[in-house]
Amino acid sequence: MNGAALARSFYTDLVAPLLPGLPHAAARLGSGSDVLGLDDETSRDHDWGCRLTLLVDDPDAAAGLRHLLERELPETYRGHPVRFPVTWDPEPTHNVEVATVRDFAAGRLGVDPLALTPLDWLVIPGQNVLEVTGGPVFVDRTETLAPVRAALRWYPPDIERYVLASGWQRLSQWMPMAGRTADRGDDLGSRLLYGRIAADLMRLAFLLSRAWPPYDKWRGSLFRELPIAADLRLDPILTAPTWREREDAVAAAAATLLAVQRERLPTPVSVPTPVSVLAPFWDRPYRTIDEAVWRTLHASIDDPAVGRLPVGVGSIEQWVDNVDILMHPIRRRALQSAYRTWLTAP
């Protein structure tokens, strides 16, 4: 039995009978590989077991539920301990997370999910959205869970175009460096750069699929489930024996992504359409992303504030890779001050 199935039966057999008449939602949300159905035998060595997310609309109801569950839940269920330590709490307590819908979502996102501003969107990693939207919901009798999950379905159009434009510009910065490094005899350095390029292409694939990317451990696993993955060959970027073959693989993947972008995000008539995905890098024998690809997206942003943001920055995941920041809502929210500064900078 995987973690989500265990959570469902744990709720049905033990928790639901304790809640007659109480409007609530029961789900497996939050942290843990089982939220996305990716847990296996290895996952059971920590933070795995009888875990459940119980959500209500009324704060007073949440406080009472915690005491009720602590008092009424048994010690074991189907051979699994009901009370066990986890990495964030060494005490052996039950791991039914009880909260109001908005408090639970805000605790994961760092912002109010039903009052999101453009800058709020830019400091939310995909992993944290998936912790609210990616897991199974077994029962929902609340008024707010469905609206919260609907609000987090995807970026608003202008933020989507801004983040995409930033992704393309990042590629344009890495590509000529990878060829130049190899020409200088640094094959290892070149391969490391191509690894970054492959990661950025994968991120663009998630963006163009309108699918939230998980954190790095599971990104490749969920990438394989995207419809676009069948046509997007990223392996040769990492394995081809020469840098020119690796550059050819990047060119093919970028062309595939641009074709998807043209289909899903038509260019406004008033904005010039890029002819090709690649262009020469000065007079050197390297290719890079044609700047028209990202300039086209940026020029089609309607919100003047979003349009003033530096095009090469993008969302927090495009310029921060520190786990202790990305997984810490208060630290992420503090980085909004950087975006505010950029909005007013000359």
Side-chain angles (χ1 to χ4, degrees):
M1 182 179 292
N2 66 20
L6 177 60
R8 181 187 290 273
S9 62
F10 176 60
Y11 165 72
T12 301
D13 294 344
L14 294 186
V15 178
L18 300 175
L19 313 175
L22 176 68
H24 68 278
R28 180 65 187 97
L29 303 175
S31 64
S33 304
D34 51 320
V35 171
L36 301 179
L38 296 171
D39 52 314
D40 56 19
E41 289 297 325
T42 301
S43 305
R44 301 186 180 205
D45 64 359
H46 71 288
D47 300 348
W48 191 97
C50 296
R51 294 181 61 187
L52 183 69
T53 312
L54 204 61
L55 303 174
V56 294
D57 294 317
D58 181 3
D60 292 335
L65 272 176
R66 295 186 192 98
H67 296 299
L68 172 69
L69 294 169
E70 184 58 43
R71 185 176 67 247
E72 298 294 335
L73 287 176
E75 292 303 310
T76 63
Y77 174 70
R78 291 195 174 187
H80 299 284
V82 169
R83 294 169 178 81
F84 55 97
V86 286
T87 52
W88 57 91
D89 184 359
E91 295 299 319
T93 57
H94 75 75
N95 283 279
V96 180
E97 183 174 6
V98 181
T100 66
V101 174
R102 292 182 81 156
D103 283 350
F104 170 80
R108 297 289 168 177
L109 304 172
V111 292
D112 185 345
L114 295 180
L116 292 167
T117 68
L119 296 191
D120 289 338
W121 281 107
L122 293 173
V123 296
I124 304 174
Q127 171 66 29
N128 294 93
V129 179
L130 289 172
E131 290 177 1
V132 180
T133 66
V137 175
F138 312 131
V139 169
D140 182 15
R141 301 190 185 97
T142 67
E143 296 180 359
T144 47
L145 182 58
V148 163
R149 283 164 67 99
L152 296 169
R153 188 169 293 122
W154 193 239
Y155 289 124
D158 282 340
I159 299 297
E160 177 184 43
R161 289 174 183 266
Y162 172 65
V163 173
L164 276 168
S166 299
W168 284 111
Q169 191 181 35
R170 278 175 59 91
L171 284 172
S172 74
Q173 294 164 344
W174 295 128
M175 284 185 65
M177 292 185 191
R180 174 67 168 150
T181 305
D183 264 352
R184 295 286 294 179
D186 182 8
D187 187 64
L188 175 60
S190 177
R191 287 180 180 274
L192 289 173
L193 287 168
Y194 275 114
R196 288 186 174 188
I197 290 167
D200 279 355
L201 287 166
M202 182 180 287
R203 185 174 295 281
L204 282 173
F206 275 96
L207 288 170
L208 289 167
S209 301
R210 292 178 174 163
W212 297 108
Y215 73 133
D216 288 354
K217 180 169 71 169
W218 299 124
R219 193 160 300 158
S221 298
L222 291 193
F223 167 73
R224 291 196 298 269
E225 298 178 7
L226 299 177
I228 198 175
D231 299 318
L232 196 64
R233 299 186 65 238
L234 300 181
D235 288 355
I237 300 172
L238 305 176
T239 60
T242 69
W243 77 264
R244 290 191 182 278
E245 291 172 286
R246 296 194 285 269
E247 186 187 72
D248 286 341
V250 173
T256 297
L257 291 170
L258 182 60
V260 173
Q261 180 172 292
R262 284 173 169 161
E263 178 184 346
R264 299 185 181 177
L265 293 170
T267 304
V269 176
S270 59
V271 178
T273 302
V275 176
S276 173
V277 71
L278 296 185
F281 183 71
W282 300 102
D283 293 329
R284 298 179 183 182
Y286 318 120
R287 292 173 289 173
T288 189
I289 301 298
D290 190 325
E291 68 176 30
V293 174
W294 54 266
R295 288 193 183 278
T296 295
L297 284 164
H298 198 248
S300 65
I301 294 172
D302 292 323
D303 186 327
V306 177
R308 287 198 305 273
L309 291 169
V311 68
V313 175
S315 73
I316 188 174
E317 289 184 283
Q318 291 172 301
W319 59 284
V320 175
D321 64 1
N322 186 295
V323 174
D324 286 332
I325 293 176
L326 290 178
M327 293 298 105
H328 198 296
I330 294 175
R331 293 170 187 163
R332 292 198 313 265
R333 192 167 62 241
L335 295 182
Q336 283 192 359
S337 61
Y339 286 101
R340 293 191 188 98
T341 299
W342 297 327
L343 279 173
T344 58

